[in-house]
PDB file of all heavy atoms in Angstrom:
ATOM      1  N   THR A   5     -73.901 257.089-138.623  1.00 97.00           N
ATOM      2  CA  THR A   5     -72.575 256.725-139.138  1.00 97.00           C
ATOM      3  C   THR A   5     -71.482 257.490-138.395  1.00 97.00           C
ATOM      4  O   THR A   5     -70.399 256.952-138.155  1.00 97.00           O
ATOM      5  CB  THR A   5     -72.484 257.013-140.641  1.00 97.00           C
ATOM      6  OG1 THR A   5     -72.902 258.364-140.903  1.00 97.00           O
ATOM      7  CG2 THR A   5     -73.386 256.082-141.426  1.00 97.00           C
ATOM      8  N   LEU A  45     -78.536 244.359-148.002  1.00 97.00           N
ATOM      9  CA  LEU A  45     -77.142 244.251-148.435  1.00 97.00           C
ATOM     10  C   LEU A  45     -76.567 245.623-148.780  1.00 97.00           C
ATOM     11  O   LEU A  45     -75.369 245.845-148.658  1.00 97.00           O
ATOM     12  CB  LEU A  45     -77.046 243.326-149.658  1.00 97.00           C
ATOM     13  CG  LEU A  45     -77.278 241.838-149.401  1.00 97.00           C
ATOM     14  CD1 LEU A  45     -77.220 241.069-150.716  1.00 97.00           C
ATOM     15  CD2 LEU A  45     -76.260 241.284-148.418  1.00 97.00           C
ATOM     16  N   ASN A  74     -81.775 238.333-152.225  1.00 95.00           N
ATOM     17  CA  ASN A  74     -81.469 237.068-152.902  1.00 95.00           C
ATOM     18  C   ASN A  74     -80.001 237.081-153.298  1.00 95.00           C
ATOM     19  O   ASN A  74     -79.600 237.789-154.225  1.00 95.00           O
ATOM     20  CB  ASN A  74     -82.359 236.914-154.144  1.00 95.00           C
ATOM     21  CG  ASN A  74     -81.978 235.716-154.985  1.00 95.00           C
ATOM     22  OD1 ASN A  74     -81.255 234.828-154.531  1.00 95.00           O
ATOM     23  ND2 ASN A  74     -82.449 235.694-156.230  1.00 95.00           N
ATOM     24  N   LYS A  83     -72.749 243.015-154.734  1.00 98.00           N
ATOM     25  CA  LYS A  83     -72.571 243.679-153.441  1.00 98.00           C
ATOM     26  C   LYS A  83     -71.703 242.824-152.514  1.00 98.00           C
ATOM     27  O   LYS A  83     -70.813 243.337-151.817  1.00 98.00           O
ATOM     28  CB  LYS A  83     -73.921 243.975-152.793  1.00 98.00           C
ATOM     29  CG  LYS A  83     -74.723 245.100-153.445  1.00 98.00           C
ATOM     30  CD  LYS A  83     -76.016 245.353-152.692  1.00 98.00           C
ATOM     31  CE  LYS A  83     -76.773 246.560-153.261  1.00 98.00           C
ATOM     32  NZ  LYS A  83     -77.305 246.298-154.604  1.00 98.00           N
ATOM     33  N   GLN A 112     -75.765 220.813-137.234  1.00 95.00           N
ATOM     34  CA  GLN A 112     -74.451 220.709-137.855  1.00 95.00           C
ATOM     35  C   GLN A 112     -74.566 220.404-139.346  1.00 95.00           C
ATOM     36  O   GLN A 112     -73.860 220.988-140.174  1.00 95.00           O
ATOM     37  CB  GLN A 112     -73.628 219.629-137.141  1.00 95.00           C
ATOM     38  CG  GLN A 112     -73.181 220.034-135.744  1.00 95.00           C
ATOM     39  CD  GLN A 112     -72.583 218.886-134.946  1.00 95.00           C
ATOM     40  OE1 GLN A 112     -72.968 217.732-135.148  1.00 95.00           O
ATOM     41  NE2 GLN A 112     -71.655 219.194-134.057  1.00 95.00           N
ATOM     42  N   LEU A 122     -72.967 228.919-149.852  1.00 98.00           N
ATOM     43  CA  LEU A 122     -72.460 230.294-149.855  1.00 98.00           C
ATOM     44  C   LEU A 122     -71.011 230.336-150.334  1.00 98.00           C
ATOM     45  O   LEU A 122     -70.622 231.221-151.107  1.00 98.00           O
ATOM     46  CB  LEU A 122     -72.577 230.889-148.447  1.00 98.00           C
ATOM     47  CG  LEU A 122     -72.127 232.333-148.252  1.00 98.00           C
ATOM     48  CD1 LEU A 122     -72.925 233.275-149.163  1.00 98.00           C
ATOM     49  CD2 LEU A 122     -72.285 232.761-146.792  1.00 98.00           C
ATOM     50  N   ASN A 127     -66.918 231.617-154.243  1.00 96.00           N
ATOM     51  CA  ASN A 127     -65.609 231.023-154.512  1.00 96.00           C
ATOM     52  C   ASN A 127     -64.636 231.273-153.350  1.00 96.00           C
ATOM     53  O   ASN A 127     -63.502 231.716-153.528  1.00 96.00           O
ATOM     54  CB  ASN A 127     -65.017 231.593-155.812  1.00 96.00           C
ATOM     55  CG  ASN A 127     -63.816 230.793-156.285  1.00 96.00           C
ATOM     56  OD1 ASN A 127     -63.715 229.591-156.031  1.00 96.00           O
ATOM     57  ND2 ASN A 127     -62.888 231.443-156.958  1.00 96.00           N
ATOM     58  N   THR A 128     -65.122 230.989-152.151  1.00 95.00           N
ATOM     59  CA  THR A 128     -64.309 231.182-150.959  1.00 95.00           C
ATOM     60  C   THR A 128     -64.753 230.175-149.898  1.00 95.00           C
ATOM     61  O   THR A 128     -65.835 229.604-149.994  1.00 95.00           O
ATOM     62  CB  THR A 128     -64.454 232.610-150.407  1.00 95.00           C
ATOM     63  OG1 THR A 128     -63.490 232.826-149.374  1.00 95.00           O
ATOM     64  CG2 THR A 128     -65.847 232.840-149.826  1.00 95.00           C
ATOM     65  N   GLU A 129     -63.903 229.967-148.905  1.00 95.00           N
ATOM     66  CA  GLU A 129     -64.276 229.085-147.808  1.00 95.00           C
ATOM     67  C   GLU A 129     -65.003 229.885-146.731  1.00 95.00           C
ATOM     68  O   GLU A 129     -64.488 230.911-146.272  1.00 95.00           O
ATOM     69  CB  GLU A 129     -63.025 228.445-147.204  1.00 95.00           C
ATOM     70  CG  GLU A 129     -63.308 227.494-146.053  1.00 95.00           C
ATOM     71  CD  GLU A 129     -62.056 226.950-145.399  1.00 95.00           C
ATOM     72  OE1 GLU A 129     -60.946 227.321-145.838  1.00 95.00           O
ATOM     73  OE2 GLU A 129     -62.184 226.166-144.439  1.00 95.00           O
ATOM     74  N   LEU A 141     -81.132 225.919-127.796  1.00 89.00           N
ATOM     75  CA  LEU A 141     -80.195 224.879-128.201  1.00 89.00           C
ATOM     76  C   LEU A 141     -78.821 225.470-128.484  1.00 89.00           C
ATOM     77  O   LEU A 141     -77.790 224.898-128.111  1.00 89.00           O
ATOM     78  CB  LEU A 141     -80.714 224.157-129.451  1.00 89.00           C
ATOM     79  CG  LEU A 141     -79.856 223.010-129.992  1.00 89.00           C
ATOM     80  CD1 LEU A 141     -79.808 221.861-128.988  1.00 89.00           C
ATOM     81  CD2 LEU A 141     -80.386 222.530-131.343  1.00 89.00           C
ATOM     82  N   PHE A 149     -68.702 223.133-135.046  1.00 93.00           N
ATOM     83  CA  PHE A 149     -68.925 222.727-136.423  1.00 93.00           C
ATOM     84  C   PHE A 149     -67.587 222.383-137.064  1.00 93.00           C
ATOM     85  O   PHE A 149     -66.565 222.952-136.717  1.00 93.00           O
ATOM     86  CB  PHE A 149     -69.601 223.855-137.216  1.00 93.00           C
ATOM     87  CG  PHE A 149     -70.941 224.259-136.666  1.00 93.00           C
ATOM     88  CD1 PHE A 149     -71.070 225.418-135.914  1.00 93.00           C
ATOM     89  CD2 PHE A 149     -72.060 223.499-136.898  1.00 93.00           C
ATOM     90  CE1 PHE A 149     -72.299 225.806-135.398  1.00 93.00           C
ATOM     91  CE2 PHE A 149     -73.298 223.869-136.395  1.00 93.00           C
ATOM     92  CZ  PHE A 149     -73.414 225.023-135.638  1.00 93.00           C
ATOM     93  N   HIS A 150     -67.594 221.485-138.014  1.00 90.00           N
ATOM     94  CA  HIS A 150     -66.373 221.054-138.681  1.00 90.00           C
ATOM     95  C   HIS A 150     -65.774 222.196-139.496  1.00 90.00           C
ATOM     96  O   HIS A 150     -66.353 222.634-140.482  1.00 90.00           O
ATOM     97  CB  HIS A 150     -66.663 219.854-139.580  1.00 90.00           C
ATOM     98  CG  HIS A 150     -65.465 219.350-140.316  1.00 90.00           C
ATOM     99  ND1 HIS A 150     -64.346 218.855-139.675  1.00 90.00           N
ATOM    100  CD2 HIS A 150     -65.199 219.278-141.648  1.00 90.00           C
ATOM    101  CE1 HIS A 150     -63.446 218.488-140.560  1.00 90.00           C
ATOM    102  NE2 HIS A 150     -63.940 218.735-141.777  1.00 90.00           N
ATOM    103  N   SER A 158     -68.512 229.139-126.707  1.00 93.00           N
ATOM    104  CA  SER A 158     -68.059 229.739-125.449  1.00 93.00           C
ATOM    105  C   SER A 158     -66.875 230.673-125.648  1.00 93.00           C
ATOM    106  O   SER A 158     -66.770 231.713-124.991  1.00 93.00           O
ATOM    107  CB  SER A 158     -67.684 228.637-124.451  1.00 93.00           C
ATOM    108  OG  SER A 158     -68.809 227.851-124.133  1.00 93.00           O
ATOM    109  N   TYR A 166     -68.894 240.439-124.817  1.00 96.00           N
ATOM    110  CA  TYR A 166     -69.800 240.522-125.952  1.00 96.00           C
ATOM    111  C   TYR A 166     -70.808 241.644-125.736  1.00 96.00           C
ATOM    112  O   TYR A 166     -71.460 241.716-124.685  1.00 96.00           O
ATOM    113  CB  TYR A 166     -70.529 239.175-126.093  1.00 96.00           C
ATOM    114  CG  TYR A 166     -71.571 239.122-127.177  1.00 96.00           C
ATOM    115  CD1 TYR A 166     -71.216 238.896-128.501  1.00 96.00           C
ATOM    116  CD2 TYR A 166     -72.925 239.264-126.876  1.00 96.00           C
ATOM    117  CE1 TYR A 166     -72.182 238.808-129.498  1.00 96.00           C
ATOM    118  CE2 TYR A 166     -73.897 239.184-127.860  1.00 96.00           C
ATOM    119  CZ  TYR A 166     -73.515 238.960-129.163  1.00 96.00           C
ATOM    120  OH  TYR A 166     -74.472 238.887-130.146  1.00 96.00           O
ATOM    121  N   SER A 168     -73.949 243.988-127.957  1.00 96.00           N
ATOM    122  CA  SER A 168     -74.781 243.915-129.150  1.00 96.00           C
ATOM    123  C   SER A 168     -75.772 245.075-129.207  1.00 96.00           C
ATOM    124  O   SER A 168     -76.232 245.571-128.186  1.00 96.00           O
ATOM    125  CB  SER A 168     -75.549 242.586-129.138  1.00 96.00           C
ATOM    126  OG  SER A 168     -76.592 242.588-130.083  1.00 96.00           O
ATOM    127  N   SER A 184     -63.462 251.245-120.038  1.00 95.00           N
ATOM    128  CA  SER A 184     -63.287 250.692-118.693  1.00 95.00           C
ATOM    129  C   SER A 184     -61.905 250.083-118.482  1.00 95.00           C
ATOM    130  O   SER A 184     -61.405 250.029-117.355  1.00 95.00           O
ATOM    131  CB  SER A 184     -64.349 249.626-118.417  1.00 95.00           C
ATOM    132  OG  SER A 184     -64.118 248.466-119.198  1.00 95.00           O
ATOM    133  N   GLY A 185     -61.308 249.602-119.574  1.00 92.00           N
ATOM    134  CA  GLY A 185     -60.005 248.959-119.453  1.00 92.00           C
ATOM    135  C   GLY A 185     -60.062 247.565-118.856  1.00 92.00           C
ATOM    136  O   GLY A 185     -59.034 246.963-118.564  1.00 92.00           O
ATOM    137  N   TYR A 187     -61.351 244.797-120.301  1.00 96.00           N
ATOM    138  CA  TYR A 187     -61.448 243.677-121.239  1.00 96.00           C
ATOM    139  C   TYR A 187     -60.364 243.757-122.312  1.00 96.00           C
ATOM    140  O   TYR A 187     -60.229 244.765-123.005  1.00 96.00           O
ATOM    141  CB  TYR A 187     -62.827 243.665-121.897  1.00 96.00           C
ATOM    142  CG  TYR A 187     -63.957 243.780-120.904  1.00 96.00           C
ATOM    143  CD1 TYR A 187     -64.621 244.999-120.721  1.00 96.00           C
ATOM    144  CD2 TYR A 187     -64.347 242.693-120.128  1.00 96.00           C
ATOM    145  CE1 TYR A 187     -65.654 245.112-119.798  1.00 96.00           C
ATOM    146  CE2 TYR A 187     -65.367 242.797-119.204  1.00 96.00           C
ATOM    147  CZ  TYR A 187     -66.021 244.017-119.037  1.00 96.00           C
ATOM    148  OH  TYR A 187     -67.029 244.124-118.116  1.00 96.00           O
ATOM    149  N   LEU A 190     -62.769 241.928-127.086  1.00 97.00           N
ATOM    150  CA  LEU A 190     -64.151 242.369-127.273  1.00 97.00           C
ATOM    151  C   LEU A 190     -64.758 241.703-128.506  1.00 97.00           C
ATOM    152  O   LEU A 190     -64.072 241.457-129.506  1.00 97.00           O
ATOM    153  CB  LEU A 190     -64.216 243.887-127.451  1.00 97.00           C
ATOM    154  CG  LEU A 190     -63.710 244.761-126.298  1.00 97.00           C
ATOM    155  CD1 LEU A 190     -63.812 246.230-126.686  1.00 97.00           C
ATOM    156  CD2 LEU A 190     -64.516 244.484-125.037  1.00 97.00           C
ATOM    157  N   ILE A 192     -68.076 242.568-130.730  1.00 97.00           N
ATOM    158  CA  ILE A 192     -69.122 243.579-130.891  1.00 97.00           C
ATOM    159  C   ILE A 192     -69.999 243.247-132.094  1.00 97.00           C
ATOM    160  O   ILE A 192     -69.523 243.105-133.220  1.00 97.00           O
ATOM    161  CB  ILE A 192     -68.515 244.985-131.062  1.00 97.00           C
ATOM    162  CG1 ILE A 192     -67.676 245.351-129.822  1.00 97.00           C
ATOM    163  CG2 ILE A 192     -69.602 246.023-131.303  1.00 97.00           C
ATOM    164  CD1 ILE A 192     -66.978 246.686-129.923  1.00 97.00           C
ATOM    165  N   THR A 194     -73.075 244.498-134.500  1.00 97.00           N
ATOM    166  CA  THR A 194     -73.948 245.581-134.951  1.00 97.00           C
ATOM    167  C   THR A 194     -74.773 245.096-136.132  1.00 97.00           C
ATOM    168  O   THR A 194     -74.441 244.112-136.788  1.00 97.00           O
ATOM    169  CB  THR A 194     -73.168 246.847-135.383  1.00 97.00           C
ATOM    170  OG1 THR A 194     -72.627 246.650-136.690  1.00 97.00           O
ATOM    171  CG2 THR A 194     -72.059 247.188-134.402  1.00 97.00           C
ATOM    172  N   SER A 200     -77.579 255.411-139.973  1.00 96.00           N
ATOM    173  CA  SER A 200     -77.886 256.367-141.035  1.00 96.00           C
ATOM    174  C   SER A 200     -77.147 257.672-140.753  1.00 96.00           C
ATOM    175  O   SER A 200     -76.577 257.864-139.677  1.00 96.00           O
ATOM    176  CB  SER A 200     -79.400 256.615-141.107  1.00 96.00           C
ATOM    177  OG  SER A 200     -79.920 256.922-139.828  1.00 96.00           O
ATOM    178  N   LEU A 210     -87.774 251.904-140.310  1.00 95.00           N
ATOM    179  CA  LEU A 210     -88.558 250.806-140.858  1.00 95.00           C
ATOM    180  C   LEU A 210     -89.519 251.272-141.954  1.00 95.00           C
ATOM    181  O   LEU A 210     -89.665 250.621-142.989  1.00 95.00           O
ATOM    182  CB  LEU A 210     -89.334 250.112-139.739  1.00 95.00           C
ATOM    183  CG  LEU A 210     -88.476 249.359-138.709  1.00 95.00           C
ATOM    184  CD1 LEU A 210     -89.353 248.847-137.573  1.00 95.00           C
ATOM    185  CD2 LEU A 210     -87.721 248.207-139.354  1.00 95.00           C
ATOM    186  N   GLU A 220     -88.063 249.580-155.244  1.00 85.00           N
ATOM    187  CA  GLU A 220     -87.135 248.594-155.801  1.00 85.00           C
ATOM    188  C   GLU A 220     -87.889 247.486-156.523  1.00 85.00           C
ATOM    189  O   GLU A 220     -87.464 247.036-157.597  1.00 85.00           O
ATOM    190  CB  GLU A 220     -86.267 248.010-154.688  1.00 85.00           C
ATOM    191  CG  GLU A 220     -85.242 248.985-154.140  1.00 85.00           C
ATOM    192  CD  GLU A 220     -84.467 248.404-152.970  1.00 85.00           C
ATOM    193  OE1 GLU A 220     -84.834 247.311-152.488  1.00 85.00           O
ATOM    194  OE2 GLU A 220     -83.489 249.041-152.525  1.00 85.00           O
ATOM    195  N   ILE A 236     -98.863 250.398-165.268  1.00 89.00           N
ATOM    196  CA  ILE A 236     -98.835 251.029-163.958  1.00 89.00           C
ATOM    197  C   ILE A 236     -97.763 252.104-163.964  1.00 89.00           C
ATOM    198  O   ILE A 236     -96.584 251.822-164.185  1.00 89.00           O
ATOM    199  CB  ILE A 236     -98.527 250.013-162.846  1.00 89.00           C
ATOM    200  CG1 ILE A 236     -99.538 248.881-162.848  1.00 89.00           C
ATOM    201  CG2 ILE A 236     -98.525 250.702-161.489  1.00 89.00           C
ATOM    202  CD1 ILE A 236     -99.209 247.766-161.859  1.00 89.00           C
ATOM    203  N   ILE A 241     -97.310 254.105-157.681  1.00 76.00           N
ATOM    204  CA  ILE A 241     -96.768 253.218-156.669  1.00 76.00           C
ATOM    205  C   ILE A 241     -96.058 253.988-155.547  1.00 76.00           C
ATOM    206  O   ILE A 241     -96.224 253.710-154.362  1.00 76.00           O
ATOM    207  CB  ILE A 241     -95.790 252.213-157.294  1.00 76.00           C
ATOM    208  CG1 ILE A 241     -96.492 251.376-158.372  1.00 76.00           C
ATOM    209  CG2 ILE A 241     -95.181 251.298-156.241  1.00 76.00           C
ATOM    210  CD1 ILE A 241     -97.664 250.586-157.859  1.00 76.00           C
ATOM    211  N   GLY A 243     -96.265 257.273-154.894  1.00 64.00           N
ATOM    212  CA  GLY A 243     -97.010 258.395-154.350  1.00 64.00           C
ATOM    213  C   GLY A 243     -96.351 259.722-154.640  1.00 64.00           C
ATOM    214  O   GLY A 243     -96.610 260.714-154.009  1.00 64.00           O
TER     215      GLY A 243
END
Side-chain angles (χ1 to χ4, degrees):
T5 51
L45 289 177
N74 173 16
K83 288 182 175 69
Q112 289 170 330
L122 181 59
N127 193 29
T128 189
E129 180 184 0
L141 181 65
F149 300 103
H150 179 62
S158 297
Y166 176 82
S168 166
S184 70
Y187 311 102
L190 299 178
I192 300 177
T194 78
S200 50
L210 293 174
E220 289 176 352
I236 303 174
I241 301 300

